[in-house]
Amino acid sequence: AGPMAEASVKMDGAQDAAMEAYEIKRIDMQVKVADLAEAETWVRKTVESLNGKVSGHSSYNEGPSRSTQFMLQLPVKQLDAWVKALEQQGEWQVQGLQQSTTSIAQQYVDHAQRLKTRQALEKRYTELLQQAKSMTDVLAIEEKLISIRTEIEWMQTEKNRMDDQIEYAECSLRLDEQPNAWQRLTRQAASQWRQGWHVLVNLLLFLLRIWPLLL
């Protein structure tokens, strides 16, 4: 019973490893930072150093508060290093961290098998084309080959897409700037100055419009 149980455990471990090889991972993070521009630069440089890429970027301004939303593609093997690097930023506060995993093992294996079948069929028709003796047979086989190769091309593209999903984890990162008292004061002052300037300009334009009445 001992060897059989040990073999069963090994098989279960191998199956678990195979399942993990076909998983799509996603991580969502929300972080408060002191300086948004500095944090954005850090994110871009760190993602590049981890062989990842920035796939999306949006900025939001709400009065004195500012935030940035990043969509990142990170190698799955670098996820732990990414989270650790964020947590080591002393002035930053990680407000939210969620990770999710979706298995596409069955879908991936089925798709790979269908692709393999189509490739074998292409090989068979190629052999038949070389053996064809009439123009009618040649045209019929070539037409079939075009259809099969079109399917193979689409299936290979789909396989490449799934490979990317498995290899790179999708990371949604929101940076919320938490300005100090001085930053809030200067931004509010700048906002009030701009509003006052617009009022002054509109007043001058109004006076220019009614100057005949003033005379």
Side-chain angles (χ1 to χ4, degrees):
M4 292 181 60
E6 183 178 351
S8 177
V9 170
K10 288 182 179 179
M11 290 180 61
D12 291 341
Q15 290 176 353
D16 291 342
M19 293 294 288
E20 290 180 1
Y22 302 113
E23 290 180 343
I24 298 176
K25 295 187 177 181
R26 178 184 172 89
I27 182 170
D28 296 277
M29 304 187 73
Q30 185 173 353
V31 182
K32 285 190 176 181
V33 300
D35 189 312
L36 188 59
E38 182 179 327
E40 289 179 359
T41 301
W42 181 91
V43 167
R44 293 183 182 277
K45 288 184 177 179
T46 305
V47 169
E48 183 179 355
S49 70
L50 295 175
N51 297 319
K53 53 188 175 181
V54 177
S55 57
H57 171 259
S58 302
S59 297
Y60 307 93
N61 293 323
E62 299 177 0
S65 300
R66 300 187 302 177
S67 61
T68 295
Q69 183 76 35
F70 277 108
M71 293 304 298
L72 311 172
Q73 300 293 328
L74 296 167
V76 171
K77 295 180 180 179
Q78 299 290 358
L79 273 184
D80 292 339
W82 165 252
V83 175
K84 185 177 180 180
L86 275 172
E87 293 176 342
Q88 287 179 343
Q89 298 302 305
E91 297 181 356
W92 295 11
Q93 299 177 18
V94 178
Q95 300 294 307
L97 173 59
Q98 292 183 336
Q99 298 190 50
S100 61
T101 302
T102 303
S103 175
I104 59 169
Q106 191 63 49
Q107 177 186 353
Y108 188 94
V109 171
D110 290 346
H111 187 84
Q113 186 60 44
R114 288 196 300 270
L115 176 59
K116 186 177 179 180
T117 301
R118 285 292 184 274
Q119 289 171 335
L121 191 60
E122 178 194 22
K123 183 179 179 181
R124 177 57 181 159
Y125 270 99
T126 301
E127 293 172 351
L128 290 175
L129 181 62
Q130 295 172 351
Q131 299 171 6
K133 296 180 180 179
S134 68
M135 184 59 65
T136 302
D137 291 342
V138 169
L139 293 175
I141 294 172
E142 285 184 342
E143 183 180 356
K144 192 66 176 178
L145 271 174
I146 291 174
S147 176
I148 293 173
R149 286 169 178 167
T150 300
E151 288 184 50
I152 289 175
E153 189 174 321
W154 176 84
M155 293 175 75
Q156 187 62 54
T157 300
E158 187 67 12
K159 181 179 180 297
N160 293 339
R161 184 186 66 82
M162 288 191 287
D163 286 337
D164 285 341
Q165 287 182 317
I166 293 170
E167 184 178 357
Y168 288 90
E170 183 176 337
C171 177
S172 173
L173 174 65
R174 181 182 176 92
L175 300 176
D176 293 317
E177 189 177 50
Q178 191 173 21
N180 55 38
W182 173 251
Q183 289 174 324
R184 288 197 298 269
L185 178 61
T186 55
R187 289 176 188 174
Q188 289 175 352
S191 177
Q192 294 298 325
W193 186 89
R194 286 193 296 268
Q195 292 179 12
W197 175 255
H198 290 315
V199 170
L200 179 60
V201 169
N202 290 332
L203 178 60
L204 290 174
L205 292 175
F206 176 73
L207 292 175
L208 288 174
R209 187 180 304 169
I210 64 171
W211 70 268
L213 296 177
L214 296 177
L215 290 178

